[in-house]
Amino acid sequence: MDAFVNRLTPKVVSELKENEVFVFGSNPNGHHKSGAAKLAGERDWAVEGKGEGIVWTKLCNTGA
């Protein structure tokens, strides 16, 4: 269990550090209007109109 200490997400995610990924659910049309999807859209961590797959952003595309 020690490996999971301090690994819980805070109630509100305000930033992503290098190599961190924000995972959220979306509707099939990629309209990010509520919940975690809304937060992702507001923070430019999601692409409007893309409802599936992986979206690589500057934040998570580290070249690794």
Side-chain angles (χ1 to χ4, degrees):
M1 289 296 266
D2 290 337
F4 296 104
V5 173
N6 297 322
R7 295 208 46 192
L8 296 177
T9 303
K11 190 167 186 160
V12 177
V13 177
S14 59
E15 66 179 351
L16 293 176
K17 296 176 183 168
E18 188 173 336
N19 295 323
E20 288 186 328
V21 177
F22 186 77
V23 179
F24 62 95
S26 174
N27 65 34
N29 296 323
H31 299 300
H32 314 298
K33 302 299 181 197
S34 64
K38 181 178 180 181
L39 176 68
E42 290 171 349
R43 300 278 199 273
D44 293 326
W45 301 338
V47 174
E48 185 66 24
K50 184 163 176 67
E52 61 182 38
I54 298 173
V55 177
W56 289 101
T57 67
K58 278 193 318 190
L59 294 172
C60 64
N61 187 5
T62 62

